[in-house]
Amino acid sequence: MQHGPPSTDAGGGCLCSSPSTGLSCRARMAAGGRLPSALPAARVRAAFLSFFQQQHGHRRLPSAPVRPRGDPSLLFVNAGMNQFKPIFLGTAHPRSELSRYRRVVNSQKCVRAGGKHNDLEDVGRDGCHHTFFEMLGNWSFGDYFKEEACSMAWELLTEVYEIPKDRLYVTYFGGDSSLGLSADEECRDVWLQLGVPASRVLPFPLKDNFWEMGDTGPCGPCTEIHYDHVGGGRNAAALVNQGSPDVVEIWNLVFMQYNREVEGNLLPLPQHHVDTGMGLERLVAVLQNKRSNYDTDLFTPILDAIHKGCGAPRYQGLIGDADAGRVNMAYRVVADHVRTLCVCITDGIYPGLSGAELVLRRILRRAVRFCSEVLRAPPGLLASLVPTVVEVLVFWPTLVLLLGQVMNIINENEAAFLSSLERGRRVIERTVQQMQPSTNFPADVAWSLYGNLGFPLDLIDLMLEEKGIRLDSDAFNELVQEDAKVREAQGAQAGQLEGTDMHLDVHSLAQLRNDNVPATDDSPKYSYKLGQHGQYEFSPCQATVLMLYRDQSLQKEVGAGQRCGVILDRTNFYAEQGGQASDQGYLIRLGQQDILFPVESVHLCGGYVVHEVTAVETLRAGDQVQLFVDEARRLACMTNHTATHLLNFALRHVLGDRTEQRGSHVMAERLRFDFDIQGPVTVEQLQRVEQVVQDVIKRNEAVHMAEVPLALARRVQGLRAMDEEYPDPVRIVSLGVPVETVLTCDSEAARQTSVELCCGTHLLQTGAMEDLAIVSERQLVKGVSRVIAVTGRQAKQAREVGQCLAVEVDSVSIRMKQRSTSVAEMQNLSKEVGQLTKVRITTAMPQWQRKELQTILKALQRTANTAIKKLEMQQAEEKVQSLLTKHCNQPVIIDTVPADSLSILMKVVNQLCDKSPGTSVLLLSPQASGEVLCACQVSKDCIPVFSAADWAMAVCTQMEGKAGGSPVVAKGSGNAKGIQGALTTALEFARSKL
């Protein structure tokens, strides 16, 4: 993403002097005046970036997308430091761009609406909480530290933005005796040297001034800068960190100097870093002299657009009890949430059913709820705000490109929720009618509305409040806690699995580098060739054990039976990365051919390849080993990785260039590929995608691979590259076209084939793939689809299965057209259709064929059901005529009749009652199995005295069976031994009621 040109306004002078008054910002603020409107948010952002870039030599970086990159611990990017975690953890590849960063600056898009940082429920209640915000930040990675960071911050705030110094307060870490941490007097002294009065340099404890990335990992003391909105020469030190709306934090400077270990203890980091974050929205409020972020030009255009779109009273900024009907709260919620929706959708997060997608779904539904329930806006208001949001956030150009798509997704999801609202209202109405007076609304129903229909909990409370009833909160909270325990257990289980991985910690990585242990040479993983007969030959690899890793520490020796990570000087094993699963295999010590050390998985950490091994004998640093990759597994992964590239190309070729990859995973057994899609993928499109792939396979195209400088690679026309960090130089994989050709300036060759940046292992020619079959395609969320494909023998087997099933379906179809006159035969055909439908669902076959067969089988099932119903009606009519003749004009008919099924027996009863109004009927039908079927219907004239359900129950109980139904119709079954007694009981029961 490209940013606009940097501002040149931050040259050390005031950004916003007012020619009309001759007063600077400082003078106007001291005089109690408002800052001039000539300081829009765009200039505030530009001044920040320009200050660090031009005056202090920071490299300006684009914002990362709000979808986290390779970090399953986060739902959304929630801080500027997220994209730099590999630097803090020491895991950045030494050849990657990340590893070369020293001082950088950016404005990061952040979403805090789930996980540790969750402001969703607070949005709208005040003037400062947001789900989406921009975090301005500057970083130092092992470069400058406390003195420079504080000095730069003070210079920017007081000299560039010209915020009066007497309105600023700074805090520092006051120490923690339980952790053995003393006060950060170094930071305190820096502020004092910068001229900040001692009365405004305030110590605070761990919870306020010590920042941690998570339960473990890099952390350190921080210093915060707070702003007093009131000013006027007063001393507001007592209000700092007290939650006062008058004194607010505007900037946090974190000094990363410790690492929190698993046991909880703190160890000094090998390198010190600076990580700062300042919310743009809050800073703009200060510089525009506003008490609420919603009164700044980041929100006022959106609030105006809401007013025009809904006709509600104009936004007045009211909060709490003063906000009658919560109209102003609704304005804030909608304005905030539509910004979040725009940013998330353009970054590839769509409303869905799990994870970040589920959170976004709740955000959208919360916004829709406030639009419809509070602002009384017509459907479509939310989407109509998108163009205004794009104008306000023009700094992010992808918003402009995807404006139409964002509006469509919002409209579709709004329509679905409004439909759910109606269903929810009916559920609540029905439940309330069935409730006993003065009881609480059942928690399980509320939980179903919350979980299945996506109802916000506050909406459920509101709808119940309108009916004068309350939710059983205790029971509901128990359900919430149960759900949380299940999720926590699942997370713990996942964590246990994750814990078996041998990922090097930051201290071990630093120790390896300090000891000059070289990064692993893993180039031998690419050492393979085609033999004379077309088979792949993998070169042997001999290596030296450099270090062993166990229990989060580097060791020179590991005993027999212990699980450890083995770091070698070189390896031919592929470490899991780029979506490709790691190699497996074994290693042996030279001279000990009969002792195998199985390699279970392989990881890449900061340039070191770690082989996860269970030592069958003692392993020592210095041991000479020979490595053997599981060649069948490797070849399967190579095949599926090349197939993934080819599939990516084919999907774009068939569905259009805007079909962007969202993720992939390559395993030996299959491949998975996620991509953007505007609508459902049709049968014809799936067939065409497979055909494109098969054409390339038949041509047996050569797969070209070469390492080139990253900057040169990024200039390739039509290059497919994921949003991730690549090493420099980077590996290019091109199908059918030599790499030097696609690198040629303005070469169109790359647009006609698959060209990707990829570190994975690939086939040398596409013919070895043999075939590719897409065996599954489904939408993960609106706008993102997932395909699963198999190659080679598995693909051919899937096609054979599909063809066999198609033949069986054709056979059933032909027999169905013969129109059997037997209900039993037609029922057997219906069962066959059901069995074939189950096979279609559960068996691997081409997805296009699965969809085709689904259509055919559904039609056959409808035909069979219609035919069965028609034949049963015909049989029933014959029996009805006989019974009417036998029981002419009787108020009660009780008899036995032959019937092949309960369905036919019920039809006989129904038709009898239709042709003889006022008659009540009970029929029994003995079956060859010894069972007796029972069906009855009572004339409506006899209700409620005479109940069909009670009648059937009395009769079937006599036969030691069961029955059920309504006062009008009922059915059941019993044992043939009691049939005579049952007929007597039926007659006696009827006489007692009539």
Side-chain angles (χ1 to χ4, degrees):
M1 182 187 299
Q2 296 298 314
H3 293 295
S7 166
T8 58
D9 293 327
C14 173
L15 281 170
C16 44
S17 293
S18 171
S20 62
T21 64
L23 288 174
S24 68
C25 294
R26 183 182 298 138
R28 290 173 63 77
M29 293 183 80
R34 300 177 68 84
L35 281 171
S37 59
L39 189 65
R43 289 187 66 196
V44 174
R45 183 197 295 112
F48 181 92
L49 298 171
S50 178
F51 173 80
F52 284 101
Q53 182 183 14
Q54 295 184 5
Q55 291 185 235
H56 294 285
H58 287 62
R59 180 174 179 173
R60 180 168 162 184
L61 298 179
S63 168
V66 293
R67 176 187 285 279
R69 182 169 55 201
D71 190 347
S73 67
L74 292 175
L75 290 174
F76 303 95
V77 165
N78 58 21
M81 54 72 59
N82 290 160
Q83 65 173 305
F84 305 119
K85 281 175 76 171
I87 301 176
F88 297 135
L89 295 169
T91 58
H93 194 285
R95 282 170 44 211
S96 71
E97 207 170 6
L98 267 178
S99 67
R100 292 194 288 274
Y101 293 161
R102 289 297 171 264
R103 49 175 73 186
V104 300
V105 62
N106 83 342
S107 180
Q108 173 64 48
K109 296 176 288 185
C110 297
V111 173
R112 291 189 174 176
K116 181 179 177 183
H117 299 288
N118 186 357
D119 292 337
L120 180 55
E121 294 303 323
D122 292 321
V123 170
R125 301 181 188 279
D126 57 29
C128 61
H129 278 95
H130 306 291
T131 49
F132 161 73
F133 66 97
E134 287 184 54
M135 184 174 281
L136 304 170
N138 61 290
W139 288 266
S140 164
F141 305 116
D143 189 357
Y144 62 79
F145 205 43
K146 296 178 184 179
E147 182 177 354
E148 296 91 335
C150 295
S151 176
M152 291 176 196
W154 195 249
E155 179 187 357
L156 177 66
L157 293 179
T158 63
E159 296 182 24
V160 177
Y161 291 134
E162 290 214 336
I163 297 176
K165 294 179 181 179
D166 63 1
R167 291 202 180 195
L168 297 176
Y169 298 79
V170 295
T171 65
Y172 67 96
F173 177 52
D176 189 286
S177 57
S178 65
L179 293 173
L181 294 176
S182 58
D184 190 358
E185 295 178 355
E186 178 187 359
C187 176
R188 180 201 64 189
D189 292 344
V190 168
W191 287 117
L192 294 175
Q193 289 165 12
L194 287 171
V196 183
S199 61
R200 294 169 181 266
V201 182
L202 312 170
F204 280 91
L206 196 78
K207 71 179 183 67
D208 294 307
N209 277 81
F210 195 91
W211 191 93
E212 304 197 47
M213 186 184 292
D215 294 332
T216 60
C219 55
C222 63
T223 181
E224 297 173 346
I225 304 173
H226 295 250
Y227 174 78
D228 178 14
H229 275 285
V230 176
R234 70 171 185 165
N235 189 324
L239 298 178
V240 173
N241 276 337
Q242 299 304 310
S244 168
D246 294 334
V247 180
V248 296
E249 174 205 337
I250 56 173
W251 206 346
N252 187 11
L253 286 63
V254 179
F255 307 122
M256 298 275 200
Q257 58 189 99
Y258 300 104
N259 191 67
R260 173 83 69 178
E261 303 296 301
V262 175
E263 301 81 10
N265 55 309
L266 295 171
L267 292 179
L269 280 172
Q271 261 197 330
H272 289 171
H273 308 293
V274 173
D275 162 23
T276 85
M278 176 161 57
L280 174 68
E281 290 76 5
R282 193 171 287 186
L283 175 63
V284 169
V286 167
L287 295 178
Q288 293 183 0
N289 203 22
K290 306 292 185 184
R291 298 298 295 275
S292 167
N293 298 352
Y294 292 92
D295 293 332
T296 69
D297 62 343
L298 287 169
F299 288 94
T300 51
I302 304 171
L303 297 170
D304 289 342
I306 295 171
H307 172 66
K308 290 175 185 174
C310 70
R314 187 173 290 278
Y315 178 70
Q316 296 176 286
L318 301 176
I319 290 175
D321 294 339
D323 182 19
R326 300 196 297 172
V327 171
N328 288 266
M329 177 180 177
Y331 267 101
R332 290 187 289 270
V333 167
V334 174
D336 170 87
H337 288 8
V338 73
R339 287 179 10 129
T340 304
L341 289 165
C342 288
V343 169
C344 286
I345 292 170
T346 54
D347 278 353
I349 302 175
Y350 304 131
L353 298 177
S354 64
E357 285 80 8
L358 176 59
V359 174
L360 197 65
R361 178 176 181 246
R362 287 176 179 162
I363 288 172
L364 186 144
R365 293 188 164 200
R366 191 168 185 256
V368 170
R369 202 274 277 186
F370 274 96
C371 282
S372 60
E373 300 281 333
V374 182
L375 297 176
R376 306 295 180 189
L381 171 66
L382 203 57
S384 74
L385 302 174
V386 173
T388 305
V389 174
V390 171
E391 289 177 13
V392 173
L393 299 180
V394 70
F395 185 68
W396 313 106
T398 48
L399 287 170
V400 180
L401 297 175
L402 299 176
L403 185 149
Q405 180 184 351
V406 173
M407 293 181 71
N408 289 338
I409 290 174
I410 290 176
N411 273 329
E412 289 168 5
N413 279 274
E414 178 182 29
F417 180 48
L418 291 174
S419 173
S420 295
L421 271 177
E422 279 306 310
R423 291 203 301 275
R425 282 195 180 94
R426 289 196 293 271
V427 169
I428 289 175
E429 291 284 353
R430 186 168 61 249
T431 306
V432 169
Q433 289 174 5
Q434 295 170 356
M435 285 169 54
Q436 297 293 329
S438 71
T439 57
N440 287 336
F441 190 81
D444 56 341
V445 178
W447 181 254
S448 177
L449 290 171
Y450 175 73
N452 299 328
L453 290 181
F455 260 54
L457 189 56
D458 57 350
L459 175 57
I460 297 173
D461 285 332
L462 183 66
M463 294 172 75
L464 295 179
E465 186 181 324
E466 291 171 353
K467 298 184 177 299
I469 55 179
R470 298 174 60 188
L471 173 64
D472 187 345
S473 299
D474 292 340
F476 186 87
N477 289 334
E478 284 181 19
L479 293 173
V480 172
Q481 289 167 6
E482 286 175 20
D483 182 66
K485 285 178 184 176
V486 170
R487 291 177 187 274
E488 188 177 339
Q490 291 171 343
Q493 190 174 10
Q496 288 169 3
L497 293 173
E498 231 175 72
T500 63
D501 294 342
M502 298 293 171
H503 289 100
L504 298 172
D505 67 285
V506 64
H507 301 291
S508 298
L509 282 165
Q511 185 180 334
L512 288 168
R513 289 166 186 148
N514 289 337
D515 294 344
N516 295 316
V517 176
T520 308
D521 173 14
D522 63 350
S523 59
K525 68 189 178 187
Y526 299 126
S527 296
Y528 51 87
K529 62 182 181 179
L530 283 172
Q532 286 185 337
H533 304 291
Q535 80 281 10
Y536 276 82
E537 296 176 354
F538 296 88
S539 300
C541 182
Q542 186 173 319
T544 302
V545 177
L546 298 180
M547 195 64 69
L548 301 162
Y549 184 69
R550 175 173 165 76
D551 296 333
Q552 287 192 298
S553 69
L554 296 172
Q555 301 177 13
K556 293 284 188 179
E557 181 177 307
V558 167
Q562 293 186 328
R563 197 182 192 89
C564 65
V566 180
I567 302 170
L568 306 170
D569 63 336
R570 62 199 306 267
T571 182
N572 60 347
F573 276 75
Y574 184 85
E576 182 170 359
Q577 56 184 316
Q580 180 178 329
S582 76
D583 281 336
Q584 292 179 349
Y586 63 92
L587 55 87
I588 61 173
R589 273 193 298 229
L590 293 184
Q592 291 184 322
Q593 306 296 319
D594 56 337
I595 300 175
L596 309 183
F597 292 81
V599 178
E600 297 163 30
S601 62
V602 190
H603 311 286
L604 182 64
C605 299
Y608 297 97
V609 177
V610 184
H611 306 71
E612 192 170 332
V613 169
T614 299
V616 292
E617 280 195 354
T618 301
L619 259 180
R620 297 180 179 87
D623 283 350
Q624 299 293 303
V625 295
Q626 196 161 4
L627 284 70
F628 296 88
V629 169
D630 182 334
E631 294 183 4
R633 175 185 168 89
R634 161 67 82 83
L635 184 56
C637 285
M638 287 163 53
T639 301
N640 287 343
H641 205 149
T642 304
T644 302
H645 284 214
L646 192 44
L647 180 63
N648 188 5
F649 168 74
L651 286 165
R652 288 168 68 98
H653 182 77
V654 172
L655 302 177
D657 285 342
R658 292 184 65 181
T659 306
E660 292 290 343
Q661 179 178 347
R662 285 295 174 194
S664 66
H665 190 52
V666 177
M667 296 169 283
E669 303 78 19
R670 63 180 188 175
L671 66 93
R672 187 192 76 212
F673 190 82
D674 301 342
F675 59 97
D676 287 338
I677 183 71
Q678 297 303 308
V681 184
T682 66
V683 168
E684 293 75 17
Q685 287 171 331
L686 286 169
Q687 288 175 308
R688 284 169 57 201
V689 168
E690 285 190 359
Q691 190 60 56
V692 170
V693 174
Q694 287 160 2
D695 288 345
V696 178
I697 293 172
K698 287 175 186 174
R699 293 199 299 268
N700 196 21
E701 300 274 18
V703 180
H704 301 275
M705 292 166 274
E707 283 195 346
V708 301
L710 183 59
L712 183 60
R714 290 194 184 279
R715 294 206 296 264
V716 173
Q717 298 292 314
L719 178 74
R720 259 73 75 194
M722 290 291 289
D723 174 55
E724 58 184 54
E725 286 295 326
Y726 293 96
D728 190 6
V730 69
R731 194 172 179 82
I732 285 186
V733 179
S734 174
L735 302 189
V737 180
V739 172
E740 55 267 26
T741 302
V742 300
L743 289 174
T744 305
C745 185
D746 298 327
S747 170
E748 284 294 314
R751 295 186 182 275
Q752 310 306 318
T753 187
S754 166
V755 182
E756 298 194 28
L757 303 183
C758 181
C759 61
T761 56
H762 288 269
L763 296 174
L764 299 175
Q765 291 183 293
T766 60
M769 206 180 301
E770 296 183 16
D771 194 5
L772 178 140
I774 297 172
V775 295
S776 171
E777 184 275 325
R778 65 184 180 90
Q779 282 208 340
L780 295 178
V781 295
K782 193 75 173 176
V784 177
S785 192
R786 168 172 289 177
V787 295
I788 292 173
V790 292
T791 57
R793 183 178 55 81
Q794 285 178 285
K796 293 184 182 300
Q797 185 177 358
R799 294 195 190 284
E800 290 170 5
V801 168
Q803 288 163 5
C804 290
L805 186 61
V807 169
E808 291 187 52
V809 172
D810 285 342
S811 171
V812 173
S813 182
I814 291 168
R815 283 179 283 146
M816 195 83 77
K817 289 174 182 175
Q818 295 172 353
R819 298 290 182 185
S820 170
T821 56
S822 164
V823 171
E825 285 183 25
M826 193 56 70
Q827 285 175 332
N828 285 335
L829 282 174
S830 177
K831 286 179 183 177
E832 276 192 62
V833 171
Q835 290 166 351
L836 291 173
T837 299
K838 187 176 181 181
V839 172
R840 181 200 69 80
I841 294 169
T842 58
T843 307
M845 70 180 70
Q847 181 69 6
W848 65 263
Q849 194 167 30
R850 193 191 310 276
K851 287 189 171 186
E852 272 193 351
L853 292 176
Q854 178 185 25
T855 302
I856 296 169
L857 287 167
K858 278 187 174 180
L860 289 176
Q861 193 66 69
R862 286 194 299 269
T863 300
N865 292 343
T866 302
I868 290 168
K869 187 175 180 180
K870 186 175 180 180
L871 289 170
E872 287 182 345
M873 291 294 284
Q874 290 172 355
Q875 288 189 18
E877 285 175 8
E878 295 170 5
K879 300 180 191 304
V880 166
Q881 291 304 321
S882 173
L883 288 167
L884 283 174
T885 303
K886 182 178 177 181
H887 301 280
C888 185
N889 295 326
Q890 292 187 16
V892 176
I893 297 176
I894 299 171
D895 210 334
T896 60
V897 294
D900 293 337
S901 67
L902 186 58
S903 175
I904 294 175
L905 191 63
M906 285 299 300
K907 286 180 174 62
V908 175
V909 170
N910 295 152
Q911 289 187 31
L912 265 175
C913 291
D914 287 344
K915 294 189 176 182
S916 180
T919 301
S920 297
V921 180
L922 184 143
L923 299 179
L924 300 178
S925 179
Q927 304 294 298
S929 63
E931 183 185 30
V932 176
L933 304 178
C934 171
C936 65
Q937 183 169 330
V938 170
S939 170
K940 291 181 181 179
D941 298 337
C942 303
I943 297 172
V945 176
F946 195 1
S947 165
D950 294 342
W951 197 11
M953 181 62 75
V955 171
C956 292
T957 300
Q958 180 67 36
M959 296 188 293
E960 300 179 345
K962 295 179 180 179
S966 71
V968 179
V969 294
K971 56 188 176 183
S973 63
N975 194 305
K977 293 178 182 178
I979 189 169
Q980 291 303 320
L983 289 169
T984 303
T985 298
L987 183 59
E988 290 174 351
F989 187 94
R991 284 175 176 169
S992 70
K993 301 296 181 182
L994 298 175

